[in-house]
Amino acid sequence: MRRAAVLGGSIAGLLAARVLSDHADEVVVLERDDIAPAGDFGDGRDPRPGVPQGTQMHALLDAGRRGIEQWFPGFSAEIVAAGAAHADTGAGVHSYLDGRRKVLVGGVEMVSATRPFLEAHLRRRVLALDAVRLVNGRVRGLVFTGDRVTGVRYASGAGASGAAGTSGASGAARTSGTSGTSGTSGDDVLDVLDADLVVDATGRASRIGAWLGEAGWPEPALRRMHVDLGYATALFRRSGGPHEATLAQSLAMLPDGRLRLGTLGRVEGDRWVALVAGYADDRPGRGVAEFLRRCADDPAEPFRQLAADGEPMGEPVTYRHPDNRRRDFHLLKRFPAGLVAVGDTLASFNPIYGQGMSSATMHAACLADYLASGPSPRDPAWSYFKRTRAVVDDAWQTSALNDLKLPHVTGPRPRGFGVASRLSDLIVRASVTDPVIHRRFLDVMHMLSPARTLMRPGTLLRAARAVRRQDLPAAGAPLDTTV
């Protein structure tokens, strides 16, 4: 390819740019947030405005960590040296179910850091590539020529200049917003960036459906699952230590049937970040007192300890996730060549399960496989969407199966849901005490193995035996785990 354009400088967009740098003479990352005012591409201290959940806790699952490490060798060591926390499930990562710590099993690794920190380090590595450059601008629409997408229209950002600006974009042309461009007014003057391939990484609010529809193409169906999740994140300083758990996760069923979740981890700057979550009318508020009360009431010991020895660094920041979403591109009968989608544009899951960044990494791997197969530039990327469908289906199954157990979640239950739900509960309960089941469970939750591997007869038989040896509540309550 001569040029590829990536719409959005998110984790998904940056990883797509890394893949494209192996196949294109030039890769332009078009990002609406002015993240390079001084040419340093941001210092990782503040979240981008375009990432509303950027202030919330993030942990990189092992599938994502391994994928990034393949494209950027030494990345994990780099960010740990800069302050991120690294932990193995055999020691520093502790998972709790109703306050009972699961048996420790090693071999699965996690990285804990704030989202701005992770993104800034990844952005530096990507933009250090000779073929990649950043353009500050807001996407207004796609350019179609025949049955292909051949470019993108965008409004230049006021802060873009020099290497990160638009004035030096070879092949760019000026066009008026009165030419029928989607989402523009008559006063807009837009840039057109020609591209042989356009990658939409603009996220769950992407306008790709509208852009396709306005050009006469069918729009991908957008599926939604209402979950009404709310969570709050707070930063802490802690006295004493060392602390046994570098990362801790807790899932607990309250006596009234409500499900509560929490995640706690050490991050850069010798700080700790904690997240508490609940559904529907049990969503946490913004106050420090309520946040500490939730931690103190958690049956998992690390959260009670945080409430006792943690010093809050400001007010908690809340975020609401109303629904899970996926766009089913694979169901379309017609689609233009020269266009693909990655990250939350494809699917946005319940964030409690931490699948977002690792899914983006796997989408980038699908893009790498697709491009390595030597596709014709005249054909739609059907084989790419087939590859990503498998990734989306597996992650969707993991989160949706758990979400559908919640009484407030509406929507049709798939055929066999009752049996699948009970078997899922069996696996989770067995993972508390059985190291083999717990390791297989972790492999699925960290997106290292497909969810179906937990339904193998040998695994289910072992899980049933483990549960019989436990003194746990009767099966039937929707007890599952977060990452």
Side-chain angles (χ1 to χ4, degrees), residues 321-401:
H321 177 83
D323 54 30
N324 306 335
R325 301 180 184 181
R326 63 179 293 177
R327 291 179 173 89
D328 291 325
F329 290 92
H330 63 280
L331 297 179
L332 294 172
K333 301 300 183 183
R334 295 174 56 244
F335 195 75
L339 177 65
V340 298
V342 296
D344 284 1
T345 303
L346 280 173
S348 171
F349 312 101
N350 184 332
I352 283 297
Y353 301 100
Q355 298 166 312
M357 292 188 292
S358 290
S359 289
T361 306
M362 298 173 78
H363 298 164
C366 292
L367 181 60
D369 290 342
Y370 164 71
L371 294 174
S373 70
S376 168
R378 296 181 297 275
D379 296 332
W382 293 124
S383 62
Y384 166 77
F385 287 116
K386 181 179 180 179
R387 289 177 170 91
T388 56
R389 178 192 175 185
V391 176
V392 171
D393 282 351
D394 202 62
W396 187 269
Q397 177 183 342
T398 300
S399 61
L401 179 62

Side-chain angles (χ1 to χ4, degrees), residues 45-59:
R45 289 180 294 185
D46 299 312
R48 293 189 291 108
V51 186
Q53 76 280 18
T55 55
Q56 301 298 323
M57 181 172 184
H58 285 69

Side-chain angles (χ1 to χ4, degrees), residues 268-359:
E268 72 277 4
D270 195 26
R271 300 170 297 170
W272 290 78
V273 60
L275 177 148
V276 296
Y279 293 90
D281 58 1
D282 191 44
R283 298 189 305 270
R286 295 177 178 271
V288 171
E290 179 186 348
F291 192 97
L292 292 174
R293 184 169 59 252
R294 284 206 178 218
C295 291
D297 291 342
D298 196 293
E301 189 276 335
F303 293 86
R304 299 197 305 273
Q305 187 62 41
L306 177 71
D309 68 15
E311 177 187 351
M313 300 174 62
E315 295 289 319
V317 180
T318 59
Y319 181 74
R320 186 174 182 181
H321 177 83
D323 54 30
N324 306 335
R325 301 180 184 181
R326 63 179 293 177
R327 291 179 173 89
D328 291 325
F329 290 92
H330 63 280
L331 297 179
L332 294 172
K333 301 300 183 183
R334 295 174 56 244
F335 195 75
L339 177 65
V340 298
V342 296
D344 284 1
T345 303
L346 280 173
S348 171
F349 312 101
N350 184 332
I352 283 297
Y353 301 100
Q355 298 166 312
M357 292 188 292
S358 290
S359 289

Side-chain angles (χ1 to χ4, degrees), residues 62-354:
D62 208 6
R65 185 194 66 80
R66 294 184 188 188
I68 294 174
E69 194 71 24
Q70 286 182 344
W71 287 312
F72 297 105
F75 181 80
S76 298
E78 172 192 315
I79 60 177
V80 169
H86 173 270
D88 187 281
T89 53
V93 181
H94 294 182
S95 299
Y96 293 80
L97 181 65
D98 282 334
R100 189 175 181 183
R101 193 180 79 178
K102 294 187 176 187
V103 60
L104 297 178
V105 289
V108 179
E109 302 175 35
M110 294 185 71
V111 174
S112 175
T114 64
R115 169 64 178 263
F117 176 91
L118 279 171
E119 196 173 280
H121 279 269
L122 183 60
R123 187 162 56 241
R124 286 190 178 95
R125 293 292 292 266
V126 172
L127 294 178
L129 299 170
D130 290 339
V132 182
R133 65 188 181 88
L134 182 71
V135 169
N136 181 207
R138 184 179 294 268
V139 180
R140 296 301 193 191
L142 301 174
V143 178
F144 293 84
T145 303
D147 290 340
R148 283 187 52 80
V149 170
T150 55
V152 57
R153 291 186 176 92
Y154 66 99
S156 301
S161 61
T166 60
S167 59
S170 60
R174 302 293 289 185
T175 185
S176 170
T178 59
S179 62
T181 307
S182 170
T184 66
S185 69
D187 296 330
D188 287 334
V189 178
L190 303 183
D191 285 323
V192 173
L193 185 69
D194 298 326
D196 299 308
L197 180 66
V198 173
V199 180
D200 184 356
T202 56
R204 60 187 272 124
S206 169
R207 299 195 68 247
I208 190 169
W211 296 333
L212 289 168
E214 290 166 5
W217 292 89
E219 301 181 24
L222 178 61
R223 268 196 271 173
R224 301 177 186 236
M225 176 185 290
H226 175 76
V227 294
D228 197 13
L229 170 72
Y231 51 98
T233 293
L235 285 167
F236 289 84
R237 297 284 186 194
R238 302 187 72 177
S239 59
H243 301 280
E244 186 179 5
T246 302
L247 274 161
Q249 300 120 17
S250 172
L251 182 145
M253 179 69 69
L254 302 183
D256 60 4
R258 290 178 296 174
L259 193 65
R260 283 193 175 180
L261 312 101
T263 306
L264 165 67
R266 184 171 61 81
V267 296
E268 72 277 4
D270 195 26
R271 300 170 297 170
W272 290 78
V273 60
L275 177 148
V276 296
Y279 293 90
D281 58 1
D282 191 44
R283 298 189 305 270
R286 295 177 178 271
V288 171
E290 179 186 348
F291 192 97
L292 292 174
R293 184 169 59 252
R294 284 206 178 218
C295 291
D297 291 342
D298 196 293
E301 189 276 335
F303 293 86
R304 299 197 305 273
Q305 187 62 41
L306 177 71
D309 68 15
E311 177 187 351
M313 300 174 62
E315 295 289 319
V317 180
T318 59
Y319 181 74
R320 186 174 182 181
H321 177 83
D323 54 30
N324 306 335
R325 301 180 184 181
R326 63 179 293 177
R327 291 179 173 89
D328 291 325
F329 290 92
H330 63 280
L331 297 179
L332 294 172
K333 301 300 183 183
R334 295 174 56 244
F335 195 75
L339 177 65
V340 298
V342 296
D344 284 1
T345 303
L346 280 173
S348 171
F349 312 101
N350 184 332
I352 283 297
Y353 301 100

Side-chain angles (χ1 to χ4, degrees), residues 18-33:
R18 168 61 187 88
V19 168
L20 289 164
S21 70
D22 291 334
H23 299 272
D25 297 333
E26 180 185 22
V27 181
V28 177
V29 179
L30 188 60
E31 168 54 47
R32 70 176 187 175
D33 292 331

